[in-house]
Amino acid sequence: MPLLRLDNVTRNFGGLAAVKDVSFEAKSGQIVGLIGPNGSGKTTCFNLISGLYAPSSGKILFNDAQISGLPQHRIAAKGVARTFQISSYFPALTALENVVTAHHTQLKSGLFAGILRLNKTVMEEAAAVERSHELLQFVGLEHRHGMRADALASAEQRRLMVAMALATRPQLLLLDEPGAGMTKEEQVRLTELIFKVRDVGVTIVLVEHHMRLIMGICDNVVVLTEGKKIAEGTPAEIQATEAVIEAYLGRRAAHA
Ligand SMILES: Nc1ncnc2c1ncn2[C@@H]1O[C@H](COP(=O)(O)OP(=O)(O)OP(=O)(O)O)[C@@H](O)[C@H]1O
Ligand SMILES: [Mg+2]
């Protein structure tokens, strides 16, 4: 049974099908790549999986239960986390405060529980701070814990967003261009981090334009163009697929 399955998923925006009849799956423990040119529907797939949008048709299953149509917080509570293509942290908060804040989305104490059982809330706060330090350590940012998020280098901000996503203890992590703007060296470190996340039991779907990153770490790659899946396979299979070379990798790749 796959951890995640998209079943003929379509999402229309007015007359445009941003995602059209797309099916793919991610098995537990896999790193699945989702690639395609700009505007091919990659982020929309993430928006559909995480519940920002509901599909116009088709189904999304997580752990064999349908999640499509559920609100975002319910999907997050089931174990799906994501990072965003755009910066998504509080710039004026420190790295640590950002990760602690990310925890609150999953803390059990709701508003009323918080008022009635203040002690429990305080306990959870302490636990969240401790775990946030561990998460910063995990992504290699512990030495920056007191620095404002907007003062971090851009590659560090990307790592911070990974730590924030991990705060909810996900089973599935959707990474939307985590390597954007990174140098080759920073990409190598990111690759190590992604493997590390996988090795603690988190399944990953990765959207990236850096082909070296995708081909180096993915078990399986899904290729979209204009909202449609045009190919799927191992990195070696994808690189040898004529339709992918034509439609996406471009002529230069064919001669590479
Ligand atoms: N909320 C929306 N309303 C209208 N159109 C949208 C919306 N979200 C996405 N689209 C359109 O759907 C198509 C796919 O967009 P999407 O952001 O999923 O592409 P992408 O593959 O992530 O591209 P990129 O590589 O540039 O990030 C685009 O034509 C986009 O303009
Ligand atoms: Mg996108």
Side-chain angles (χ1 to χ4, degrees):
M1 167 185 97
L3 181 67
L4 172 74
R5 200 173 100 211
L6 276 72
D7 237 352
N8 300 103
V9 171
T10 294
R11 171 67 204 210
N12 302 312
F13 291 110
L16 172 90
V19 169
K20 201 171 180 184
D21 211 23
V22 167
S23 301
F24 71 87
E25 59 182 47
K27 294 193 177 72
S28 192
Q30 276 188 327
I31 301 174
V32 174
L34 190 56
I35 66 172
N38 293 118
S40 57
K42 305 179 298 293
T43 297
T44 303
C45 281
F46 279 9
N47 289 338
L48 291 166
I49 297 165
S50 62
L52 187 61
Y53 305 137
S56 303
S57 62
K59 288 194 294 197
I60 303 173
L61 299 149
F62 183 67
N63 273 322
D64 236 12
Q66 190 167 333
I67 56 167
S68 35
L70 293 180
Q72 282 183 84
H73 69 275
R74 291 275 308 279
I75 295 175
K78 283 178 182 289
V80 179
R82 70 177 294 182
T83 65
F84 289 86
Q85 196 168 345
I86 49 160
S87 298
S88 52
Y89 47 79
F90 296 100
L93 296 186
T94 65
L96 182 71
E97 287 164 346
N98 267 285
V99 185
V100 172
T101 303
H103 265 91
H104 287 295
T105 59
Q106 62 144 12
L107 289 182
K108 296 285 185 300
S109 291
L111 179 62
F112 293 106
I115 292 166
L116 296 172
R117 300 175 63 190
L118 196 61
N119 273 348
K120 189 177 173 224
T121 311
V122 171
M123 290 300 290
E124 284 182 345
E125 182 74 26
V129 170
E130 194 185 328
R131 187 162 146 74
S132 297
H133 278 294
E134 287 167 13
L135 283 166
L136 286 176
Q137 181 91 47
F138 185 83
V139 302
L141 278 182
E142 176 55 14
H143 61 300
R144 295 270 192 262
H145 71 87
M147 196 179 271
R148 272 174 62 133
D150 59 2
L152 298 171
S154 80
E156 291 176 333
Q157 290 167 340
R158 297 260 155 209
R159 299 167 85 83
L160 174 63
M161 291 193 275
V162 173
M164 290 170 70
L166 291 176
T168 57
R169 297 182 188 275
Q171 279 180 275
L172 175 69
L173 177 60
L174 311 171
L175 294 171
D176 200 347
E177 301 195 25
M182 285 190 180
T183 64
K184 275 186 193 141
E185 218 166 71
E186 289 164 345
Q187 284 176 41
V188 170
R189 289 197 63 206
L190 177 67
T191 300
E192 289 164 7
L193 176 59
I194 293 172
F195 278 135
K196 209 169 141 186
V197 172
R198 193 269 318 269
D199 290 344
V200 296
V202 180
T203 304
I204 293 162
V205 183
L206 173 65
V207 166
E208 253 304 329
H209 284 292
H210 290 113
M211 282 308 113
R212 189 196 313 268
L213 230 163
I214 285 283
M215 298 305 175
I217 64 177
C218 292
D219 299 296
N220 237 338
V221 179
V222 173
V223 188
L224 300 179
T225 49
E226 295 172 358
K228 283 175 281 196
K229 183 174 87 172
I230 59 158
E232 183 176 14
T234 63
E237 287 164 354
I238 290 300
Q239 281 167 301
T241 302
E242 200 64 37
V244 179
I245 295 167
E246 290 279 320
Y248 181 47
L249 297 175
R251 275 164 189 251
R252 275 185 308 141
H255 298 291

Coordinates of all heavy atoms in Angstrom, one line a residue, residues 15-88:
G15 N -11.1 28.4 -16.9 CA -11.0 27.5 -18.1 C -9.7 26.7 -18.1 O -9.5 25.8 -19.0
L16 N -8.8 26.9 -17.2 CA -7.4 26.3 -17.2 C -7.4 25.1 -16.3 O -7.7 25.2 -15.1 CB -6.4 27.3 -16.8 CG -5.0 26.8 -16.6 CD1 -4.2 26.9 -17.9 CD2 -4.2 27.5 -15.5
A17 N -6.9 23.9 -16.9 CA -6.7 22.8 -16.0 C -5.2 22.8 -15.6 O -4.3 22.5 -16.3 CB -7.0 21.5 -16.8
A18 N -5.0 23.3 -14.4 CA -3.6 23.4 -13.8 C -3.0 22.0 -13.6 O -1.8 21.8 -13.8 CB -3.6 24.2 -12.5
V19 N -3.9 21.1 -13.2 CA -3.5 19.7 -13.1 C -4.6 18.9 -13.8 O -5.8 19.1 -13.5 CB -3.4 19.3 -11.6 CG1 -3.2 17.8 -11.4 CG2 -2.2 20.0 -10.9
K20 N -4.1 17.9 -14.6 CA -5.1 17.3 -15.5 C -4.9 15.7 -15.4 O -3.9 15.2 -15.9 CB -5.0 17.7 -16.9 CG -6.2 17.5 -17.7 CD -6.0 18.2 -19.1 CE -7.2 18.0 -20.0 NZ -7.0 18.6 -21.3
D21 N -5.8 15.1 -14.7 CA -5.9 13.6 -14.7 C -4.6 13.0 -14.2 O -4.1 12.0 -14.8 CB -6.2 13.2 -16.1 CG -7.0 11.9 -16.1 OD1 -7.7 11.6 -15.1 OD2 -7.0 11.1 -17.1
V22 N -4.0 13.6 -13.2 CA -2.7 13.1 -12.8 C -2.8 12.0 -11.7 O -3.6 12.1 -10.8 CB -1.8 14.3 -12.2 CG1 -0.6 13.8 -11.4 CG2 -1.4 15.2 -13.3
S23 N -2.1 10.9 -11.9 CA -2.0 9.8 -11.0 C -0.5 9.5 -10.7 O 0.3 9.4 -11.6 CB -2.7 8.5 -11.5 OG -4.0 8.8 -11.8
F24 N -0.2 9.4 -9.4 CA 1.1 8.9 -9.1 C 1.1 8.5 -7.6 O 0.1 8.8 -6.9 CB 2.3 9.8 -9.4 CG 2.4 11.1 -8.5 CD1 3.1 11.1 -7.3 CD2 1.8 12.3 -8.9 CE1 3.1 12.2 -6.5 CE2 1.8 13.4 -8.2 CZ 2.5 13.4 -7.0
E25 N 2.1 7.8 -7.2 CA 2.1 7.4 -5.8 C 3.5 7.5 -5.2 O 4.5 7.6 -5.9 CB 1.6 6.0 -5.6 CG 2.3 4.9 -6.3 CD 1.7 3.6 -6.1 OE1 0.5 3.4 -6.3 OE2 2.5 2.6 -5.9
A26 N 3.6 7.6 -3.8 CA 4.8 7.6 -3.1 C 4.7 6.5 -2.1 O 3.8 6.5 -1.3 CB 5.1 8.9 -2.4
K27 N 5.6 5.5 -2.2 CA 5.6 4.5 -1.2 C 6.4 4.9 0.0 O 7.3 5.8 0.0 CB 6.3 3.2 -1.8 CG 5.5 2.6 -2.9 CD 6.1 1.2 -3.2 CE 5.3 0.5 -4.3 NZ 5.5 1.1 -5.6
S28 N 6.1 4.3 1.2 CA 6.7 4.7 2.4 C 8.3 4.6 2.3 O 8.8 3.6 1.8 CB 6.2 3.8 3.5 OG 6.6 4.3 4.8
G29 N 9.0 5.6 2.7 CA 10.4 5.6 2.6 C 11.1 6.0 1.3 O 12.3 6.2 1.2
Q30 N 10.2 6.3 0.3 CA 10.7 6.8 -1.0 C 11.0 8.3 -1.0 O 10.4 9.1 -0.2 CB 9.7 6.5 -2.1 CG 9.8 5.1 -2.6 CD 8.9 4.9 -3.8 OE1 7.9 5.5 -4.0 NE2 9.4 4.0 -4.7
I31 N 11.8 8.7 -1.9 CA 12.0 10.1 -2.3 C 11.5 10.1 -3.8 O 12.1 9.5 -4.7 CB 13.4 10.6 -2.2 CG1 13.9 10.4 -0.8 CG2 13.5 12.0 -2.7 CD1 15.4 10.8 -0.7
V32 N 10.3 10.8 -4.0 CA 9.7 10.9 -5.3 C 9.9 12.3 -5.8 O 9.6 13.3 -5.1 CB 8.2 10.6 -5.3 CG1 7.6 10.8 -6.6 CG2 8.1 9.1 -4.8
G33 N 10.5 12.5 -7.0 CA 10.7 13.8 -7.7 C 9.5 14.1 -8.5 O 8.9 13.3 -9.2
L34 N 9.1 15.4 -8.5 CA 8.0 15.9 -9.3 C 8.7 17.1 -10.1 O 9.0 18.1 -9.6 CB 6.9 16.4 -8.4 CG 5.6 16.8 -9.0 CD1 5.0 15.7 -9.8 CD2 4.6 17.2 -7.9
I35 N 8.8 16.9 -11.4 CA 9.5 17.9 -12.2 C 8.6 18.3 -13.4 O 7.7 17.6 -13.8 CB 10.9 17.4 -12.7 CG1 10.8 16.2 -13.7 CG2 11.8 17.0 -11.6 CD1 12.1 15.8 -14.4
G36 N 9.0 19.4 -14.0 CA 8.3 19.9 -15.2 C 8.6 21.4 -15.3 O 9.1 22.0 -14.4
P37 N 8.4 21.9 -16.5 CA 8.6 23.3 -16.8 C 7.8 24.2 -15.9 O 6.8 23.8 -15.3 CB 8.3 23.5 -18.2 CG 8.0 22.2 -18.8 CD 7.8 21.2 -17.7
N38 N 8.1 25.5 -15.9 CA 7.3 26.5 -15.1 C 5.9 26.4 -15.5 O 5.5 26.3 -16.7 CB 7.8 27.9 -15.4 CG 9.2 28.1 -14.8 OD1 10.1 28.4 -15.6 ND2 9.4 28.0 -13.5
G39 N 5.0 26.4 -14.5 CA 3.5 26.4 -14.8 C 3.0 25.1 -15.2 O 1.9 25.0 -15.7
S40 N 3.7 24.0 -14.9 CA 3.3 22.7 -15.4 C 2.4 22.0 -14.3 O 1.9 20.9 -14.5 CB 4.5 21.8 -15.7 OG 5.3 21.7 -14.6
G41 N 2.2 22.7 -13.1 CA 1.3 22.1 -12.2 C 1.9 21.5 -10.9 O 1.2 20.9 -10.1
K42 N 3.2 21.7 -10.7 CA 3.9 21.0 -9.6 C 3.4 21.6 -8.3 O 3.0 20.8 -7.4 CB 5.4 21.2 -9.7 CG 5.9 20.7 -11.1 CD 7.4 21.0 -11.2 CE 7.9 22.4 -11.1 NZ 7.5 23.3 -12.3
T43 N 3.4 22.9 -8.1 CA 3.0 23.5 -6.9 C 1.5 23.2 -6.7 O 1.0 23.0 -5.5 CB 3.3 25.0 -6.8 OG1 4.7 25.2 -6.9 CG2 2.7 25.7 -5.6
T44 N 0.7 23.3 -7.7 CA -0.7 23.0 -7.6 C -0.9 21.5 -7.0 O -1.8 21.3 -6.2 CB -1.5 23.1 -9.0 OG1 -1.2 24.5 -9.4 CG2 -2.9 22.9 -8.8
C45 N -0.1 20.6 -7.5 CA -0.2 19.2 -6.9 C 0.0 19.3 -5.4 O -0.7 18.7 -4.6 CB 0.9 18.3 -7.5 SG 0.4 17.7 -9.1
F46 N 1.0 20.1 -4.9 CA 1.3 20.2 -3.5 C 0.1 20.9 -2.8 O -0.3 20.5 -1.7 CB 2.5 21.0 -3.2 CG 3.8 20.2 -3.4 CD1 3.8 18.9 -3.9 CD2 5.0 20.7 -3.0 CE1 5.0 18.1 -3.9 CE2 6.2 20.0 -3.1 CZ 6.2 18.7 -3.6
N47 N -0.5 21.9 -3.5 CA -1.6 22.6 -2.9 C -2.8 21.7 -2.7 O -3.6 21.8 -1.8 CB -2.0 23.8 -3.7 CG -1.0 24.9 -3.6 OD1 -0.2 25.0 -2.7 ND2 -0.9 25.8 -4.6
L48 N -2.9 20.7 -3.7 CA -4.0 19.7 -3.6 C -3.8 18.7 -2.5 O -4.7 18.3 -1.8 CB -4.2 19.0 -5.0 CG -4.7 20.0 -6.1 CD1 -4.5 19.3 -7.5 CD2 -6.2 20.3 -5.9
I49 N -2.5 18.2 -2.4 CA -2.2 17.2 -1.4 C -2.4 17.7 0.0 O -2.9 17.1 0.9 CB -0.8 16.6 -1.6 CG1 -0.7 15.9 -3.0 CG2 -0.4 15.6 -0.5 CD1 0.8 15.7 -3.5
S50 N -1.9 19.0 0.1 CA -1.9 19.6 1.5 C -3.3 20.2 1.9 O -3.5 20.7 3.0 CB -0.8 20.6 1.6 OG -1.0 21.7 0.7
G51 N -4.2 20.2 0.9 CA -5.5 20.7 1.2 C -5.8 22.2 1.1 O -6.8 22.7 1.5
L52 N -4.8 22.9 0.5 CA -5.1 24.3 0.2 C -6.2 24.5 -0.8 O -7.0 25.3 -0.7 CB -3.8 25.0 -0.3 CG -3.8 26.5 -0.5 CD1 -4.0 27.2 0.9 CD2 -2.4 26.9 -1.1
Y53 N -6.2 23.6 -1.8 CA -7.3 23.5 -2.7 C -7.8 22.0 -2.7 O -7.1 21.1 -2.4 CB -6.8 23.7 -4.2 CG -6.1 25.0 -4.4 CD1 -5.0 25.0 -5.2 CD2 -6.6 26.2 -3.9 CE1 -4.3 26.2 -5.5 CE2 -6.0 27.4 -4.1 CZ -4.8 27.4 -4.9 OH -4.2 28.6 -5.2
A54 N -9.1 21.9 -3.1 CA -9.7 20.6 -3.3 C -9.6 20.3 -4.8 O -9.7 21.2 -5.6 CB -11.1 20.6 -2.8
P55 N -9.4 19.0 -5.1 CA -9.4 18.7 -6.5 C -10.8 18.9 -7.2 O -11.8 18.9 -6.5 CB -9.1 17.1 -6.6 CG -8.7 16.8 -5.2 CD -9.2 17.8 -4.3
S56 N -10.8 19.3 -8.5 CA -12.1 19.4 -9.2 C -12.7 18.0 -9.4 O -13.9 17.8 -9.4 CB -11.9 20.1 -10.5 OG -11.3 21.4 -10.3
S57 N -11.8 17.0 -9.7 CA -12.2 15.6 -9.7 C -11.0 14.8 -9.4 O -9.8 15.2 -9.4 CB -12.7 15.3 -11.1 OG -11.7 15.5 -12.1
G58 N -11.3 13.5 -9.1 CA -10.2 12.6 -8.7 C -10.1 12.5 -7.2 O -10.7 13.2 -6.5
K59 N -9.2 11.6 -6.7 CA -9.0 11.4 -5.3 C -7.6 11.4 -4.9 O -6.7 11.0 -5.6 CB -9.6 10.0 -4.9 CG -11.0 9.8 -5.0 CD -11.4 8.5 -4.3 CE -10.9 7.2 -5.0 NZ -11.6 6.0 -4.6
I60 N -7.4 11.8 -3.6 CA -6.0 11.7 -3.0 C -6.1 10.9 -1.8 O -7.0 11.2 -0.9 CB -5.4 13.1 -2.7 CG1 -5.4 14.0 -4.0 CG2 -4.0 13.0 -2.1 CD1 -5.0 15.4 -3.8
L61 N -5.3 9.8 -1.7 CA -5.4 8.9 -0.5 C -4.0 9.0 0.2 O -3.0 9.1 -0.4 CB -5.6 7.5 -1.0 CG -6.9 7.3 -1.7 CD1 -6.8 6.2 -2.8 CD2 -8.0 6.9 -0.7
F62 N -4.1 9.0 1.5 CA -3.0 9.0 2.4 C -3.2 7.9 3.4 O -4.2 7.9 4.1 CB -2.8 10.4 3.1 CG -1.6 10.5 4.0 CD1 -0.3 10.5 3.4 CD2 -1.7 10.6 5.3 CE1 0.8 10.6 4.2 CE2 -0.6 10.7 6.1 CZ 0.7 10.7 5.6
N63 N -2.2 7.0 3.5 CA -2.4 5.8 4.3 C -3.7 5.1 4.0 O -4.5 4.7 5.0 CB -2.4 6.2 5.8 CG -0.9 6.2 6.3 OD1 -0.1 5.3 6.0 ND2 -0.6 7.1 7.2
D64 N -4.1 5.1 2.7 CA -5.3 4.4 2.3 C -6.6 5.1 2.7 O -7.7 4.5 2.4 CB -5.3 2.9 2.8 CG -5.5 2.0 1.6 OD1 -5.3 2.4 0.5 OD2 -5.7 0.8 1.9
A65 N -6.5 6.3 3.2 CA -7.8 7.0 3.6 C -7.8 8.2 2.7 O -6.8 8.9 2.4 CB -7.8 7.4 5.0
Q66 N -9.0 8.6 2.2 CA -9.2 9.7 1.4 C -8.9 11.0 2.1 O -9.6 11.2 3.2 CB -10.6 9.7 0.7 CG -10.6 10.8 -0.4 CD -11.9 10.6 -1.3 OE1 -12.4 9.5 -1.4 NE2 -12.3 11.7 -1.8
I67 N -8.0 11.9 1.6 CA -7.8 13.2 2.3 C -8.3 14.3 1.4 O -8.4 15.4 1.9 CB -6.3 13.4 2.7 CG1 -5.4 13.2 1.4 CG2 -5.9 12.4 3.8 CD1 -4.0 13.7 1.7
S68 N -8.5 14.1 0.1 CA -8.9 15.2 -0.7 C -10.3 15.7 -0.3 O -11.2 14.9 0.1 CB -9.0 14.7 -2.2 OG -9.4 13.4 -2.3
G69 N -10.3 17.0 -0.2 CA -11.6 17.7 0.3 C -11.5 18.0 1.8 O -12.3 18.8 2.3
L70 N -10.5 17.4 2.5 CA -10.4 17.8 4.0 C -9.7 19.1 4.1 O -8.9 19.5 3.2 CB -9.5 16.7 4.7 CG -10.1 15.3 4.9 CD1 -9.1 14.5 5.6 CD2 -11.4 15.4 5.6
P71 N -10.0 19.9 5.2 CA -9.3 21.1 5.4 C -7.8 20.9 5.7 O -7.4 19.8 6.1 CB -10.0 21.8 6.5 CG -10.7 20.7 7.2 CD -11.0 19.6 6.2
Q72 N -7.0 21.9 5.4 CA -5.6 21.8 5.6 C -5.1 21.3 6.9 O -4.2 20.5 7.0 CB -4.9 23.2 5.4 CG -4.8 23.7 4.0 CD -4.1 25.0 4.0 OE1 -2.8 25.1 4.0 NE2 -4.8 26.1 3.9
H73 N -5.7 21.8 8.0 CA -5.3 21.4 9.4 C -5.5 19.9 9.6 O -4.8 19.3 10.3 CB -5.8 22.3 10.5 CG -7.3 22.1 10.7 ND1 -8.2 22.8 9.9 CD2 -8.0 21.3 11.5 CE1 -9.5 22.4 10.3 NE2 -9.3 21.6 11.3
R74 N -6.6 19.4 9.0 CA -6.9 18.0 9.2 C -5.9 17.1 8.5 O -5.4 16.1 9.0 CB -8.3 17.6 8.7 CG -9.4 18.2 9.5 CD -9.8 17.4 10.7 NE -10.1 16.0 10.3 CZ -11.3 15.6 9.8 NH1 -12.2 16.4 9.5 NH2 -11.4 14.3 9.5
I75 N -5.5 17.6 7.3 CA -4.5 16.8 6.5 C -3.1 16.9 7.2 O -2.4 15.9 7.3 CB -4.4 17.4 5.1 CG1 -5.8 17.1 4.4 CG2 -3.3 16.7 4.3 CD1 -5.9 17.6 3.0
A76 N -2.8 18.1 7.7 CA -1.5 18.2 8.5 C -1.5 17.3 9.7 O -0.5 16.7 10.0 CB -1.4 19.7 8.9
A77 N -2.7 17.3 10.4 CA -2.7 16.4 11.6 C -2.6 14.9 11.3 O -2.1 14.2 12.1 CB -4.1 16.7 12.3
K78 N -2.9 14.6 10.0 CA -2.7 13.2 9.6 C -1.3 12.8 9.3 O -0.9 11.7 9.2 CB -3.6 12.9 8.4 CG -5.1 12.7 8.8 CD -5.9 12.4 7.5 CE -7.3 12.3 7.8 NZ -7.7 11.0 8.5
G79 N -0.4 13.9 9.2 CA 1.0 13.6 9.0 C 1.6 14.1 7.6 O 2.6 13.6 7.2
V80 N 0.9 15.1 7.1 CA 1.4 15.6 5.8 C 2.0 17.1 6.1 O 1.2 17.9 6.6 CB 0.3 15.7 4.7 CG1 0.9 16.3 3.4 CG2 -0.3 14.3 4.5
A81 N 3.2 17.3 5.8 CA 3.8 18.6 5.9 C 4.4 19.1 4.6 O 4.7 18.3 3.7 CB 4.9 18.6 7.0
R82 N 4.6 20.4 4.5 CA 5.1 20.9 3.3 C 6.0 22.2 3.5 O 5.9 22.8 4.6 CB 4.0 21.4 2.3 CG 3.3 22.6 2.8 CD 2.2 23.0 1.9 NE 2.7 23.5 0.6 CZ 2.0 24.0 -0.4 NH1 0.7 24.1 -0.3 NH2 2.6 24.4 -1.5
T83 N 6.9 22.5 2.6 CA 7.5 23.8 2.6 C 7.0 24.5 1.3 O 6.4 23.9 0.4 CB 9.0 23.7 2.5 OG1 9.4 23.1 1.2 CG2 9.6 22.8 3.6
F84 N 7.1 25.8 1.3 CA 6.6 26.6 0.3 C 7.7 27.1 -0.6 O 8.9 27.3 -0.2 CB 5.8 27.8 0.8 CG 4.5 27.4 1.4 CD1 4.5 27.0 2.8 CD2 3.3 27.4 0.7 CE1 3.3 26.6 3.3 CE2 2.2 27.0 1.3 CZ 2.1 26.6 2.6
Q85 N 7.4 27.3 -1.9 CA 8.3 27.8 -2.9 C 8.8 29.2 -2.5 O 10.0 29.6 -2.6 CB 7.6 27.9 -4.2 CG 8.4 28.0 -5.4 CD 7.6 27.8 -6.7 OE1 6.5 27.3 -6.7 NE2 8.2 28.2 -7.8
I86 N 7.9 30.0 -1.9 CA 8.2 31.3 -1.4 C 8.6 31.3 0.0 O 8.4 30.3 0.7 CB 7.0 32.3 -1.5 CG1 5.7 31.6 -0.9 CG2 6.7 32.7 -3.0 CD1 4.6 32.5 -0.5
S87 N 9.3 32.3 0.5 CA 9.7 32.3 1.9 C 8.5 32.3 2.8 O 7.5 33.0 2.6 CB 10.5 33.6 2.2 OG 11.6 33.6 1.4
S88 N 8.5 31.4 3.8 CA 7.4 31.3 4.7 C 7.8 31.1 6.1 O 7.8 30.0 6.6 CB 6.5 30.1 4.2 OG 7.3 29.0 4.1

